[in-house]
Amino acid sequence: MSSPTRIALVLLPPCSMLALGAAAQVFALANRLAGKTLYEVSFLSRDGQALTLTEGVDFPVSGNLSQVRPGDHVLLLSDGVERFADARLFCAELARLAPHLPLIAGLGTAAWWLASAGLLDGYRATIQWQHAVPFAERFPAVLLSQHVFELDRQRFTCGGGAALLDGLLTLIGRQHGNALIEDIAGALCMERIRPNEARQRVPLMVRLGEKQPRVTEAVMLMEANLEEPLTTDELARLTGQSRRQLERLFKQHLDMAPTRYYLQLRLEHARHLLRTTGKSIIQIGLLCGFSSGAHFSTVYRGHFNMAPREERFAGSARALAISTPEVG
């Protein structure tokens, strides 16, 4: 019987109760749903002192990096980049430990500290989209991506929020298989687990600014009505503009017609369902607003250059790779 994987979750300021709870809950659910202890989680801070979370609550920890043992999986967790007095010493200690660890991770914005320690040079990595530009400027040797998470050899990085759950579930899947992570996702009411190649989603309000509320509102309506798509006329009426105005705004700001944007949303949703659920192709087509399986397959192939069945086969191959333990 294999020993539990030891997880050292290192909390760095600023750290929120939401991020901490999400990370802790994933491993707790893995243990509970597996009916045995798969993971032993310890909570650490940079100085061994209780960390004040962003909500003002002091969270107790069991020590600092000196408690990390060879073979531990070290996960740094942070919701922002906040300087601290002993940052140089902390990064030096990370660099010293790294060769003895099967995995060292930067969750949320903690990739910043891995990069500061020189541990991401030459590795693919990601960070929350709000920090991507200064990160790229500060650490040009890092192969920065916009994916929701990156697992490159013994380095793991991911964005915050839902990306943290996607990434941690993928790590668990690599060790213990897809059945367990599907059960965990179900317990968390997650509709799907995004693969690493999924891109971080920058909110339209950020991309377009607050001056384009009608485009943002139209996209929100599209996202809420994938199974029974609205017509362009209905979208225009519901957002208080003419069809011509709506089409002009989409062309100006998203470089495509509303119908094309809507179709891409539906097809991306279908792709996720094909990769992460056992629903039939006909069911998925209907859930994404297509009138028949044949129509869905034709449109899907035209967009992705791959039939839905081929996508599902490729997804099964990815799942097999995920279920093959490479860490720990």
Side-chain angles (χ1 to χ4, degrees):
M1 181 176 178
S2 60
S3 301
T5 299
R6 298 189 305 272
I7 302 292
L9 192 57
V10 184
L11 312 180
L12 299 174
C15 184
S16 70
M17 190 179 298
L18 180 62
L20 170 58
Q25 180 73 342
V26 166
F27 294 114
L29 281 171
N31 290 340
R32 180 168 67 81
L33 294 172
K36 59 183 177 180
T37 303
L38 301 178
Y39 298 96
E40 292 179 350
V41 181
S42 60
F43 300 93
L44 309 176
S45 67
R46 76 181 196 282
D47 56 8
Q49 302 299 311
L51 184 75
T52 301
L53 302 177
T54 55
E55 293 82 1
V57 177
D58 287 339
F59 186 83
V61 298
S62 58
N64 56 21
L65 289 179
S66 65
Q67 272 67 53
V68 173
R69 295 175 287 169
D72 287 0
H73 292 54
V74 173
L75 279 56
L76 310 182
L77 176 63
S78 182
D79 285 317
V81 181
E82 182 177 297
R83 304 294 176 180
F84 45 87
D86 56 347
R88 188 183 298 274
L89 291 175
F90 177 79
C91 290
E93 182 67 4
L94 282 178
R96 185 190 68 80
L97 287 169
H100 309 287
L101 305 175
L103 184 76
I104 186 166
L107 312 180
T109 57
W112 191 282
W113 299 112
L114 292 186
S116 296
L119 296 176
L120 294 179
D121 289 359
Y123 286 83
R124 296 191 315 277
T126 190
I127 195 169
Q128 284 181 235
W129 61 265
Q130 299 97 321
H131 300 273
V133 172
F135 185 92
E137 293 173 348
R138 175 68 178 80
F139 307 109
V142 180
L143 308 178
L144 184 66
S145 82
Q146 296 182 13
H147 294 163
V148 290
F149 63 88
E150 287 286 358
L151 179 58
D152 187 356
R153 290 160 284 174
Q154 287 74 44
R155 304 291 185 266
F156 174 73
T157 53
C158 73
L164 188 152
L165 294 174
D166 295 321
L168 290 181
L169 286 176
T170 298
L171 286 180
I172 292 172
R174 290 178 72 87
Q175 292 185 301
H176 301 291
N178 268 14
L180 177 60
I181 63 173
E182 287 174 2
D183 288 343
I184 298 172
L188 294 172
C189 298
M190 293 174 63
E191 181 181 348
R192 65 184 186 273
I193 303 169
R194 291 176 295 176
N196 80 293
E197 64 264 27
R199 295 170 66 86
Q200 292 192 51
R201 186 174 178 186
V202 180
L204 278 176
M205 287 295 289
V206 174
R207 290 163 52 194
L208 303 180
E210 297 182 1
K211 296 181 180 179
Q212 301 304 326
R214 288 182 174 178
V215 176
T216 304
E217 186 180 1
V219 171
M220 290 174 65
L221 284 168
M222 291 176 181
E223 292 172 336
N225 294 274
L226 297 177
E227 186 172 352
E228 297 183 8
L230 301 169
T231 66
T232 302
D233 287 331
E234 288 172 325
L235 287 168
R237 177 176 56 79
L238 291 169
T239 55
Q241 58 192 315
S242 69
R243 178 186 178 118
R244 177 172 294 182
Q245 286 174 316
L246 180 65
E247 290 174 337
R248 178 177 57 79
L249 287 174
F250 265 73
K251 181 64 177 176
Q252 179 181 349
H253 297 288
L254 298 175
D255 197 30
M256 65 183 72
T259 51
R260 183 64 182 172
Y261 191 92
Y262 208 166
L263 180 63
Q264 287 188 5
L265 286 178
R266 292 159 55 204
L267 288 170
E268 287 292 344
H269 184 54
R271 190 183 210 179
H272 286 306
L273 293 177
L274 284 166
R275 290 178 171 182
T276 60
T277 75
K279 290 182 172 63
S280 71
I281 290 173
I282 292 177
Q283 285 178 311
I284 291 173
L286 294 174
L287 286 171
C288 296
F290 296 93
S291 57
S292 68
H295 180 221
F296 169 53
S297 295
T298 299
V299 177
Y300 194 95
R301 180 186 287 276
H303 185 74
F304 291 116
N305 198 30
M306 176 183 290
R309 291 186 185 279
E310 295 170 321
E311 182 73 70
R312 173 150 281 171
F313 178 80
S316 298
R318 282 189 296 270
L320 179 62
I322 286 174
S323 64
T324 302
E326 292 185 8
V327 292

